[in-house]
């Protein structure tokens, strides 16, 4: 009989670190600033939990005729589609007025009990909604 005990994969080895990046919310979107982190660092998040409110550059909406105004900077609510512990980068501020390029890493989501950095890294999955009052 062939004993495959040595080839078993523990589920935890399949989990990856997920890099939280400022996502491109449209094909023309170039930058955002973080208005508010909705979860503090080291918090456990679940799928579909809101974690960020961003203010986006006007180019989020490609056609200027579709914007509320020429310089309109839409607010977006981002939900994580990942589960784990959020670790924010300390050098990226919240509500500091700083604009960051799309794709910039602002944190990561790791397993709650992860003690060492995993070499397997992927970008996080997310979904976003407009977060503006109706006018």
């Amino acid at each position: 009989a062939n004993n495959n005990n040595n080839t078993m994969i523990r589920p935890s080895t399949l989990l990856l670190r997920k890099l939280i990046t400022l996502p491109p919310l449209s094909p023309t979107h170039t930058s955002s600033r973080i208005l508010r982190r909705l979860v503090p660092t080291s918090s456990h998040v679940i799928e579909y939990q809101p974690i960020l409110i961003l203010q986006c550059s006007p180019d989020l909406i490609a056609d200027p005729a579709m914007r509320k105004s020429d310089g309109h900077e839409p607010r977006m609510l981002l939900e994580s589609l990942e589960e784990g512990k959020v670790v924010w980068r300390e050098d990226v501020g919240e509500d500091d007025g700083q604009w960051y390029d799309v794709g910039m890493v602002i944190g990561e989501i790791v397993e709650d009990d992860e003690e060492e950095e995993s070499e397997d890294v992927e970008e996080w999955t997310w979904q976003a909604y407009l977060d503006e009052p109706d006018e």
Side-chain angles (χ1 to χ4, degrees):
N2 186 5
N3 185 346
N4 287 332
N5 286 341
N6 293 337
T7 60
M8 288 183 58
I9 298 174
R10 296 182 324 173
S12 64
T13 62
L14 299 176
L15 299 173
L16 308 172
R17 280 189 320 147
K18 301 288 185 164
L19 296 179
I20 302 172
T21 59
L22 285 175
L25 299 173
S26 76
T28 57
H29 182 215
T30 59
S31 62
S32 295
R33 65 185 181 125
I34 301 167
L35 293 180
R36 192 164 149 216
R37 293 179 181 147
L38 301 174
V39 294
T41 202
S42 297
S43 295
H44 179 84
V45 294
I46 58 173
E47 290 180 75
Y48 301 101
Q49 181 173 349
I51 66 167
L52 280 173
I53 297 176
L54 300 178
Q55 186 167 28
C56 301
S57 52
D59 59 10
L60 174 72
I61 302 170
D63 184 355
M66 299 299 293
R67 299 179 192 153
K68 290 182 179 180
S69 66
D70 229 13
H72 180 238
E73 298 170 338
R75 285 175 33 145
M76 299 292 286
L77 173 70
L78 269 70
E79 293 179 348
S80 174
L81 298 182
E82 309 292 344
E83 184 169 349
K85 180 174 70 173
V86 171
V87 180
W88 297 113
R89 276 184 49 183
E90 293 178 14
D91 62 335
V92 177
E94 170 185 30
D95 198 23
D96 63 1
Q98 179 70 41
W99 288 87
Y100 300 104
D101 291 337
V102 162
M104 180 174 169
V105 176
I106 59 172
E108 60 185 39
I109 299 173
V110 298
E111 287 184 68
D112 286 323
D113 57 356
E114 187 172 297
E115 293 178 10
E116 58 187 57
E117 285 194 11
S118 170
E119 291 182 17
D120 296 323
V121 179
E122 288 185 357
E123 253 185 63
W124 71 317
T125 52
W126 50 270
Q127 63 186 18
Y129 304 94
L130 277 173
D131 182 45
E132 297 187 321
D134 292 330
E135 292 180 10

